[in-house]
Amino acid sequence: MNIIYLLLAISLVVALIFFVAFIFSVRKGQYDDVYTPSVRMLFEDEIIKNPNTNQSVKKEKSS
Amino acid sequence: MHILNCFHCGEECLDEVIRFSEKDFCCTGCKTVFEILNTNDLSYYYELERNPGTSPKFSENKFDFLDNPEIAEKLLEFDHNNIQVISLMIPSIHCSSCIWVLENLNKIHKFVRSSQVDFPKKRVRISFASDKLTLKELVIMLARIGYEPSISLESYEPKNSNIDRSLIYKLGVAGFAFGNIMFLSFPEYFEINEFWLEKFKHLFRWLMFSFSLPVVFYAGKDYFTSAWKGLHAGMLNIDVPIALGIAVLFLRSTAEIAFDLGTGFFDSLSGLVFFLLLGRFFQQKTYSFLSFERDYKSYFPIAVTRLNSEENRQKEEQVQVYKIKIGDRILIRNEELIPMDCILIKGKARIDYSFVTGEAEPVSRKSGEKLFAGGRQQGGIIEVEAVKPVQQSYLTELWNNEVFSKDKNNAFQNLTNQISQRFTIAVLSIAIVATVFWMFYDASRAWNVFTAVLIIACPCAIALSAPFTLGNMLRIFGKHKLYLKEARVIEQISQIDTVVFDKTGTITTSKKETITYEGLELNDAEKQLLTGSLRASNHPLSRALYRILDKNDIALPENFEEVTGKGLLTSSSDLKLKIGSSEFVKQPKAAQTLSGGASKTSVHISANDEYKGCFSFHNAYRKGISELFASLSEDRELIILSGDNAGEREKLEKLLPAGTLMFFDQNPGDKLQFIKDLQQQNRKVMMIGDGLNDAGALAQSEVGIAISEDINVFSPACDGILDARKFGDINKFFDLSSKAIKVIKWSFMLSLCYNLVGLGFAVTGNLMPVVAAILMPLSSISVVFFATLATQLLGKKLESNLKPES
């Protein structure tokens, strides 16, 4: 059962890693804005349409 | 006619419709934005949200001051190697399209390196190559696509970049320790005398002890300092029994494991601190896009145009306003704000003081007369000479009053602390009586009982009732467009017995919407020409008037001349119209016989040099004002405190319930003093205002609410900002606040029940750590559950109440 000491040490180290990661992320300001990233991740670059040529021809006509 | 909505901004196209690329636009500004975005591959903007845009309204030279390197330097966050970073506040950020387009700025201008939006704060942080793109160009580019940044005197102040995150750290520490201690204490809950458990339990206990150290000395330290402060002030606040509980828990647990008497209560200890901090965190709802601390600085411009005369030639220069000295000549353009007290030298001043004094009408001033800071010039360019620096001007001096440095929080004793007063005394007496009893009965357990009582009576659940109830309420209020600064305000609203209203901009709308005509009736030909002429004019009054006129038969003018600042000269066949100010129409005498005489905002008309009459513009009272006042006056005294003259008194008396007191011609200082006097009569005062002239009164009153037509634009320092459209619902907020207090009281009862059960265990000397570990979270969770449920129900009820109206 001496393995408990090792397990305990491991579990503590793992817990501490997460704890330090949490403190670090707060310090870096990751929780300052919790709304914008939720919107940002839904944007996709490829959806940007190139101005299709048809449209720009029409535009010149109308203006 | 079918009304079209602008493809860009979604506003109704009232005056004109511009067809462009098969889409409708309300103005050229909107069309230009569409064009810019379209040519830069950013038309996805319009697919993300419908009509996401804001119509750009700005003048080109508005941002000239950004060329001044000194000012620019103050605004920049970073400036090195031709890379500049700036964080700009953009009030018009409102949807996901805004985020998208602002983060793709580099598609419009390739020297924008990157941009990132902070949506809740309505800020965008842009990094750009400063050798290729100047700050001014960047700002103008933003303004052109409808995202004009707000840059005011406030931006010039050193930025407070230290965000207080200590509560999150504390919460993290407490939660981390709580979880680990629960794991470590779990084996001993079952009390089995098992070989391995006996062997390891000492290690487990000392591990728990070390986990509890940061909980007590870091996460819980606020409770000790607050309790100490309370005791120092002779007040038993809620933190006194909490601090006592934490201290006793820690000391007894340490003693227990040191002398091998038991496991201690480390689990309850860390749980207690964790839950308490959670309550604090929950209560701390902030509206980061709103500021409740604003003063004149966020309203005043950062720079003005100074005239320097050098070698008989006048040169214009953009100068930071603090640098303006007495005697300097300054140029004020149309719609610009006068930043300091000054004397008019040249030009015709027409100053709108509505935001400063509450006067509804702009006043005309001739050269040599004094102009006060905070007024807005309307009309042409004027030249003025400064007579006082910004900080010592008439308006800004108000901020030297002590109310602005006072913290309202300290003066208010909340419900929890009132209860705590009695609660603490009761707990201490129970503890002493029980200890004395056990001293005679079984002295060995007296110490145990004493500490157990203090532990179990620790008012965790009581301390949580208010934060969760008020925190929830704060969110419900926010949903209905009353944004409160902090939870404390809800408690104070429920105690208000006197409500003071400002007039201009508060109970009236800020736009002049009601138009009346007085004078000789116009014949059809005159009417048609009038409508046709107004259509061609861009003056706001022409636009407003055009909107209400019949547009069936429009006669277009053959000759049309617009005299800036005066009026219109138009003619068609044998009819000649003069439309404009009374001086312009040259019939001041005839105009004065009408009640809508020269002082009011009015448009006068003469046909073929014969005076016809005038259209007068009035500030309309907000919808539902009579009902609101009637319902509020049932249990509160209502007072109108206006900076304007008494001209509207009769109208108001008809509109408002009898017994409403009215005071007129009050300057900002008078208003502050008025509130102070009321408070000396032991009144709890709510001030509802909108402008800088109310700032003192808002700060002095128990609850200061600022009314705002557009919550993104300036409102003075206050405890809450109310969307003007919700003005008629103020009584419902009062109602809801008192209901919230009832919920808190019921939660107190609930948590007292738990305390009684716990005390039963404690005084009989039977408190097991496992009982404490169950009872404490159970009481906290059920109180939180009750408070949340009750407030949600109240919120639902409010929503169904409001629905039929909206």
Side-chain angles (χ1 to χ4, degrees):
Chain A
M1 279 296 260
N2 284 341
I3 194 73
I4 289 271
Y5 291 110
L6 183 67
L7 289 174
L8 211 54
I10 293 175
S11 77
L12 272 182
V13 167
V14 171
L16 278 172
I17 288 173
F18 278 104
F19 179 65
V20 169
F22 171 74
I23 296 292
F24 190 70
S25 63
V26 174
R27 184 150 297 188
K28 288 276 277 181
Q30 287 187 18
Y31 292 91
D32 289 356
D33 176 10
V34 289
Y35 179 79
T36 326
S38 72
V39 179
R40 193 179 292 133
M41 67 185 239
L42 297 174
F43 297 150
E44 281 178 65
D45 287 341
E46 61 264 27
I47 307 180
I48 300 170
K49 281 193 302 185
N50 290 319
N52 74 48
T53 38
N54 271 336
Q55 213 176 344
S56 53
V57 170
K58 267 183 205 162
K59 197 172 71 188
E60 273 154 28
K61 270 183 195 164
S62 61
S63 57
Chain B
M1 195 180 81
H2 174 65
I3 294 174
L4 295 163
N5 287 70
C6 177
F7 181 68
H8 175 69
C9 67
E11 296 277 316
E12 288 175 357
C13 306
L14 286 172
D15 311 328
E16 52 181 342
V17 184
I18 300 175
R19 281 294 284 180
F20 179 75
S21 187
E22 293 177 354
K23 287 163 185 92
D24 303 306
F25 296 94
C26 67
C27 59
T28 42
C30 288
K31 192 203 84 177
T32 317
V33 181
F34 173 78
E35 233 177 328
I36 295 174
L37 296 181
N38 212 22
T39 47
N40 288 295
D41 303 353
L42 292 174
S43 53
Y44 178 55
Y45 180 65
Y46 297 100
E47 273 169 42
L48 210 49
E49 302 255 349
R50 281 191 58 180
N51 317 119
T54 316
S55 178
K57 289 182 184 88
F58 76 108
S59 53
E60 283 286 332
N61 43 21
K62 190 174 174 184
F63 296 108
D64 281 350
F65 61 85
L66 291 173
D67 283 335
N68 181 330
E70 224 177 305
I71 296 173
E73 185 202 0
K74 283 270 184 181
L75 297 172
L76 289 170
E77 244 174 45
F78 175 87
D79 183 9
H80 187 66
N81 271 347
N82 291 329
I83 291 170
Q84 293 187 334
V85 178
I86 189 166
S87 171
L88 293 165
M89 161 90 187
I90 300 185
S92 55
I93 293 180
H94 69 283
C95 66
S96 47
S97 277
C98 302
I99 301 175
W100 187 79
V101 79
L102 286 172
E103 296 200 338
N104 281 302
L105 276 181
N106 54 351
K107 300 261 177 7
I108 301 178
H109 202 298
K110 62 179 174 183
F111 294 112
V112 173
R113 298 174 68 246
S114 66
S115 47
Q116 194 177 16
V117 176
D118 184 334
F119 188 82
K121 288 204 182 78
K122 300 202 184 237
R123 278 187 165 275
V124 61
R125 198 159 170 274
I126 303 172
S127 150
F128 58 101
S130 56
D131 51 337
K132 303 280 180 13
L133 175 69
T134 67
L135 181 57
K136 186 182 155 191
E137 283 162 2
L138 177 77
V139 168
I140 288 181
M141 177 180 89
L142 284 170
R144 251 200 209 117
I145 56 168
Y147 293 100
E148 184 185 321
S150 103
I151 302 171
S152 63
L153 195 51
E154 201 182 29
S155 334
Y156 192 75
E157 307 281 299
K159 283 175 204 92
N160 191 3
S161 56
N162 287 333
I163 310 159
D164 186 21
R165 302 194 182 106
S166 63
L167 185 59
I168 303 179
Y169 292 138
K170 282 175 186 156
L171 199 57
V173 168
F176 169 73
F178 177 48
N180 281 287
I181 291 175
M182 276 310 239
F183 268 129
L184 292 167
S185 56
F186 199 68
E188 284 206 74
Y189 284 164
F190 302 102
E191 266 190 300
I192 314 155
N193 287 327
E194 201 252 345
F195 171 73
W196 288 109
L197 188 64
E198 287 297 311
K199 196 167 176 232
F200 282 113
K201 76 178 180 192
H202 299 288
L203 173 68
F204 279 21
R205 284 173 181 179
W206 285 108
L207 270 176
M208 287 195 274
F209 170 75
S210 40
F211 274 122
S212 75
L213 287 175
V215 174
V216 175
F217 293 103
Y218 176 66
K221 82 174 173 206
D222 286 350
Y223 293 98
F224 291 108
T225 47
S226 158
W228 177 247
K229 268 187 206 155
L231 286 177
H232 217 72
M235 213 172 68
L236 286 170
N237 59 20
I238 190 72
D239 292 335
V240 174
I242 289 177
L244 205 61
I246 295 175
V248 170
L249 271 167
F250 181 69
L251 291 176
R252 175 165 166 181
S253 307
T254 313
E256 274 189 13
I257 62 165
F259 303 110
D260 198 13
L261 300 168
T263 35
F265 297 86
F266 291 117
D267 44 0
S268 305
L269 168 64
S270 53
L272 168 76
V273 176
F274 180 66
F275 281 120
L276 286 171
L277 291 173
L278 213 57
R280 274 200 185 181
F281 183 72
F282 193 76
Q283 193 178 19
Q284 200 190 37
K285 164 81 185 169
T286 51
Y287 301 100
S288 37
F289 63 98
L290 295 176
S291 170
F292 296 100
E293 312 294 342
R294 284 174 173 166
D295 58 12
Y296 67 94
K297 283 181 191 131
S298 41
Y299 183 56
F300 273 36
I302 192 166
V304 286
T305 316
R306 183 170 68 187
L307 288 173
N308 298 341
S309 29
E310 267 172 44
E311 299 154 16
N312 299 330
R313 271 179 50 207
Q314 286 205 320
K315 262 174 74 181
E316 287 182 20
E317 189 195 5
Q318 294 289 326
V319 187
Q320 213 286 319
V321 285
Y322 289 134
K323 296 235 166 77
I324 298 288
K325 288 187 286 290
I326 295 171
D328 281 353
R329 291 282 174 100
I330 310 162
L331 214 61
I332 309 278
R333 295 191 179 84
N334 184 20
E335 286 297 308
E336 274 186 351
L337 197 100
I338 301 167
M340 68 256 312
D341 294 354
C342 51
I343 287 172
L344 183 63
I345 303 290
K346 237 193 264 172
K348 208 178 149 210
R350 211 175 126 74
I351 313 287
D352 173 13
Y353 281 121
S354 61
F355 211 74
V356 184
T357 59
E359 280 169 47
E361 302 303 322
V363 290
S364 294
R365 290 276 176 271
K366 293 188 190 73
S367 67
E369 283 187 287
K370 204 172 171 190
L371 305 179
F372 293 106
R376 197 179 281 284
Q377 159 69 356
Q378 292 186 324
I381 294 176
I382 52 170
E383 196 183 316
V384 296
E385 187 179 300
V387 293
K388 266 182 189 170
V390 182
Q391 297 95 323
Q392 289 162 24
S393 288
Y394 167 72
L395 176 69
T396 44
E397 247 182 353
L398 181 66
W399 271 266
N400 298 333
N401 195 302
E402 63 194 18
V403 274
F404 289 99
S405 48
K406 214 169 56 184
D407 188 0
K408 277 191 192 176
N409 239 334
N410 296 339
F412 176 63
Q413 200 194 14
N414 62 29
L415 194 61
T416 313
N417 284 338
Q418 285 167 26
I419 294 275
S420 148
Q421 205 94 331
R422 276 171 251 161
F423 180 83
T424 314
I425 293 168
V427 166
L428 282 176
S429 17
I430 290 173
I432 290 165
V433 169
T435 315
V436 170
F437 169 79
W438 280 98
M439 287 253 232
F440 292 104
Y441 192 73
D442 180 358
S444 65
R445 292 172 78 176
W447 162 249
N448 257 348
V449 168
F450 180 70
T451 50
V453 169
L454 291 182
I455 289 170
I456 206 71
C458 188
C460 178
I462 289 185
L464 286 178
S465 339
F468 274 90
T469 313
L470 298 179
N472 266 324
M473 270 301 163
L474 214 60
R475 285 169 181 77
I476 292 169
F477 277 28
K479 228 159 118 194
H480 294 283
K481 308 276 166 66
L482 173 60
Y483 305 94
L484 295 179
K485 185 175 159 192
E486 51 199 357
R488 155 190 73 83
V489 182
I490 298 177
E491 277 194 67
Q492 286 185 303
I493 291 179
S494 68
Q495 297 170 359
I496 295 295
D497 53 22
T498 310
V499 189
V500 180
F501 289 86
D502 169 51
K503 188 177 81 70
T504 316
T506 303
I507 59 175
T508 66
T509 56
S510 63
K511 284 181 213 115
K512 295 179 185 293
E513 279 166 341
T514 319
I515 303 172
T516 50
Y517 179 75
E518 286 170 290
L520 308 169
E521 205 176 326
L522 302 172
N523 62 35
D524 282 349
E526 288 162 353
K527 270 188 198 161
Q528 287 162 13
L529 181 61
L530 175 67
T531 319
S533 315
L534 290 171
R535 193 165 80 152
S537 163
N538 263 326
H539 194 277
L541 288 184
S542 315
R543 296 261 72 123
L545 195 51
Y546 174 70
R547 235 162 261 166
I548 62 149
L549 291 174
D550 185 17
K551 297 172 195 71
N552 280 334
D553 294 299
I554 293 178
L556 290 176
E558 283 156 17
N559 292 308
F560 176 86
E561 192 193 341
E562 186 156 9
V563 188
T564 314
K566 289 190 173 139
L568 308 171
L569 252 173
T570 67
S571 64
S572 152
S573 57
D574 58 341
L575 182 64
K576 209 174 85 192
L577 279 188
K578 268 188 179 180
I579 308 160
S581 65
S582 60
E583 293 99 17
F584 177 70
V585 179
K586 288 202 181 107
Q587 301 287 341
K589 270 187 198 143
Q592 263 156 22
T593 58
L594 299 171
S595 63
S599 72
K600 293 246 173 78
T601 310
S602 47
V603 174
H604 299 260
I605 291 155
S606 72
N608 293 337
D609 288 329
E610 183 201 350
Y611 186 77
K612 285 288 181 187
C614 74
F615 288 93
S616 308
F617 292 70
H618 305 280
N619 285 356
Y621 287 96
R622 288 191 195 282
K623 264 188 220 157
I625 175 167
S626 295
E627 292 87 343
L628 174 71
F629 271 64
S631 116
L632 282 180
S633 65
E634 279 166 22
D635 15 48
R636 289 167 197 90
E637 183 163 4
L638 305 179
I639 298 170
I640 303 270
L641 198 61
S642 174
D644 207 351
N645 58 40
E648 294 270 300
R649 181 187 275 275
E650 273 176 40
K651 206 169 166 191
L652 275 171
E653 271 166 0
K654 263 183 232 152
L655 215 56
L656 305 181
T660 309
L661 296 172
M662 289 175 214
F663 299 90
F664 294 92
D665 295 313
Q666 303 277 320
N667 72 29
D670 294 341
K671 287 191 175 184
L672 201 165
Q673 192 55 44
F674 186 88
I675 304 281
K676 224 182 218 170
D677 293 344
L678 281 177
Q679 284 169 332
Q680 262 152 20
Q681 302 163 27
N682 273 329
R683 307 271 201 103
K684 304 275 183 211
V685 187
M686 177 192 266
M687 173 77 202
I688 303 182
D690 75 311
L692 280 179
N693 60 325
D694 305 317
L698 288 172
Q700 176 66 39
S701 59
E702 262 82 17
V703 180
I705 303 281
I707 297 273
S708 182
E709 303 271 344
D710 174 1
I711 50 158
N712 296 323
V713 299
F714 175 84
S715 47
C718 55
D719 300 301
I721 299 175
L722 176 69
D723 191 311
R725 282 165 294 173
K726 295 283 177 178
F727 182 75
D729 295 335
I730 292 177
N731 53 347
K732 302 205 173 70
F733 291 118
F734 272 109
D735 193 37
L736 212 53
S737 304
S738 24
K739 282 196 179 129
I741 301 303
K742 272 196 197 120
V743 171
I744 296 179
K745 285 185 178 157
W746 279 105
S747 320
F748 283 167
M749 295 305 291
L750 186 65
S751 70
L752 277 177
C753 292
Y754 279 106
N755 273 324
L756 283 177
V757 174
L759 281 173
F761 281 102
V763 292
T764 49
N766 288 324
L767 185 68
M768 293 288 143
V770 64
V771 174
I774 292 172
L775 211 56
M776 208 170 288
L778 189 69
S779 67
S780 303
I781 290 169
S782 49
V783 161
V784 168
F785 184 73
F786 171 75
T788 313
L789 200 73
T791 44
Q792 288 304 323
L793 281 176
L794 287 177
K796 282 266 151 56
K797 224 165 119 192
L798 177 72
E799 239 156 80
S800 53
N801 263 346
L802 291 181
K803 246 174 208 155
E805 285 170 39
S806 58

